Amino acid sequence: MTASIVGWAHMPFGKFDAETVESMIVRVANEAIADAGIAASDVDEIVLGHFNAGFSPQDFTASLVLQADPALRFKPATRVENACATGSAAVHQGIRAIESGAAKVVLVVGVEQMTRTPGPEIGKNLLRASYLPEDGETPAGFAGVFGIIAQKYFQKYGDQSDALAMIAAKNHHNGVSNPYAQMRKDFGFEFCRAEGEKNPFVAGPLKRTDCSLVSDGAAALVLTSAENAKAMGKAVNIRARAHAQDFLPMSKRDILQFEGCTVAWQRALADAGVTLDDLSFVETHDCFTIAELIEYEAMGLTPKGQGARAIKEGWTQKDGKLPINPSGGLKAKGHPIGATGVSMHVLTAMQLLGQAPEGMQIKDAKLGGIFNMGGAAVANFVSVLEPAK
């Protein structure tokens, strides 16, 4: 137990023509500071998660957090990036600052603005999270990379279209109860399963409902030590965390294994002194439905090749033995890349304090797991959270 989350903010994700990277950062930074019940002058360090990769013309964005309050001027501020796991990389960096004693209070912000970018450029920007010498010409961009993964999985373990549609339907159903979600519509299994004009194939066996959304959004949280948190109005402890980075080229590993995911989960659970069975729920990285399916196996919920059991037998529903993505996941909530990992930590903290929105709250949630992934199982971050005693 190294640090505690004592305040947070989360704006709705979506398409916002009137917002900028700066305005979203300022909004959630101020709201998180206020939620923690502190002054901006109390912040010792700032960490910003912002992928960018061409989405926004304004780069060098760490100092934009200072726009939230003049009292943040001259505070150490650093931008971190680790592809789609950028948000969790920022959170973990903030935890390190607390652990080391370098800071007593850390403000972590995650942000991305993607929707102003033309469609072809979006695919090109996202493909930068893959190994360009091998994957740079992949049709359909980053979706094409996961389309290839899905094809290989189907070839090895059989057609899993039903399972993928069930995952999409589950997450869209859950997203209806999440006021921060970009898409709050219950599509149902039949719509997600059938290919059609409104749900065409995008890459390989992946249809539009198998792919997460292009999003704008931001989230923020305030970290302090578990000891200092005792005097705060609320606190959720980081019981354990782990980060496992794998090779970037898919050719150097078995891409159906998500081995970095497995290693990160094993390290975090061992450090927390718990097992997967002890978790009340998990927020996992469903950038594509095939990713969530393989993550069931990588986290140890099912044996290899049997991930479909978890969704088909109801294990991962909100009333199942391990609810997965009660927020609706990236599939319904949206995936503003730099904000995603911070969002996962905020929504998990809300669950653990019984403050999740009505319909989204997991009953008697005591221990929450988070898995945030960058690239195709390259950057693998796991956090285990619990309410402060």
Side-chain angles (χ1 to χ4, degrees), residues 36-313:
I38 61 172
S41 57
D42 295 323
V43 174
D44 298 309
E45 187 167 335
I46 299 161
V47 187
L48 174 69
H50 182 210
F51 175 63
N52 203 11
F55 284 113
S56 302
Q58 176 67 64
D59 218 330
F60 187 39
T61 45
S63 286
L64 291 182
V65 186
L66 276 58
Q67 304 289 81
D69 193 297
L72 295 176
R73 190 182 185 195
F74 303 129
K75 308 285 186 181
T78 307
R79 171 185 159 195
V80 301
E81 181 277 323
N82 216 334
C84 301
T86 289
S88 286
V91 174
H92 285 212
Q93 188 74 11
I95 294 168
R96 285 193 186 90
I98 299 294
E99 281 180 332
S100 69
K104 291 182 179 179
V105 177
V106 177
L107 172 64
V108 179
V109 180
V111 69
E112 210 71 56
Q113 183 164 50
M114 305 170 69
T115 67
R116 289 189 180 183
T117 303
E121 289 298 309
I122 290 172
K124 186 177 179 180
N125 290 349
L126 291 175
L127 200 55
R128 290 172 178 164
S130 63
Y131 186 57
L132 294 182
E134 293 179 1
D135 304 321
E137 301 302 321
T138 303
F142 202 55
V145 172
F146 276 85
I148 292 169
I149 294 171
Q151 284 178 323
K152 290 183 176 181
Y153 190 97
F154 284 22
Q155 288 167 2
K156 186 169 185 178
Y157 298 116
D159 190 323
Q160 304 296 323
S161 297
D162 284 352
L164 298 190
M166 292 176 79
I167 289 171
K170 167 184 68 74
N171 290 347
H172 278 298
H173 176 75
N174 290 351
V176 172
S177 301
N178 184 356
Y180 306 108
Q182 180 172 352
M183 187 172 288
R184 301 179 67 187
K185 186 172 182 179
D186 190 354
F187 286 102
F189 170 77
E190 295 299 333
F191 179 85
C192 295
R193 180 64 178 86
E195 184 270 337
E197 184 180 345
K198 293 185 177 180
N199 192 26
F201 284 107
V202 174
L206 301 180
K207 297 183 285 294
R208 183 175 291 163
T209 50
D210 293 305
C211 307
S212 59
L213 303 163
V214 174
S215 312
D216 305 331
L221 55 82
V222 175
L223 295 167
T224 190
S225 70
E227 185 62 30
N228 289 340
K230 292 177 181 178
M232 307 295 279
K234 61 183 176 185
V236 172
N237 294 335
I238 311 291
R239 180 155 171 170
R241 76 185 198 288
H243 169 203
Q245 198 84 1
D246 207 346
F247 294 122
L248 185 57
M250 292 193 293
S251 61
K252 296 192 71 171
R253 50 204 169 95
D254 181 350
I255 194 54
L256 301 185
Q257 295 289 319
F258 280 24
E259 293 162 280
C261 174
T262 298
V263 170
W265 270 112
Q266 289 175 343
R267 288 175 180 171
L269 292 173
D271 190 34
V274 300
T275 69
L276 201 65
D277 291 337
D278 294 314
L279 300 182
S280 304
F281 66 94
V282 166
E283 287 289 337
T284 202
H285 194 97
D286 60 320
C287 51
F288 301 92
T289 52
I290 186 64
E292 180 167 329
L293 184 73
I294 297 175
E295 286 158 18
Y296 294 164
E297 302 168 13
M299 71 171 71
L301 188 57
T302 73
K304 302 298 182 186
Q306 297 182 33
R309 282 188 62 199
I311 185 68
K312 290 182 176 180
E313 296 181 20

Side-chain angles (χ1 to χ4, degrees), residues 332-348:
K333 184 179 63 179
H335 184 24
I337 295 174
T340 289
V342 182
S343 165
M344 289 173 151
H345 284 79
V346 168
L347 294 177
T348 297

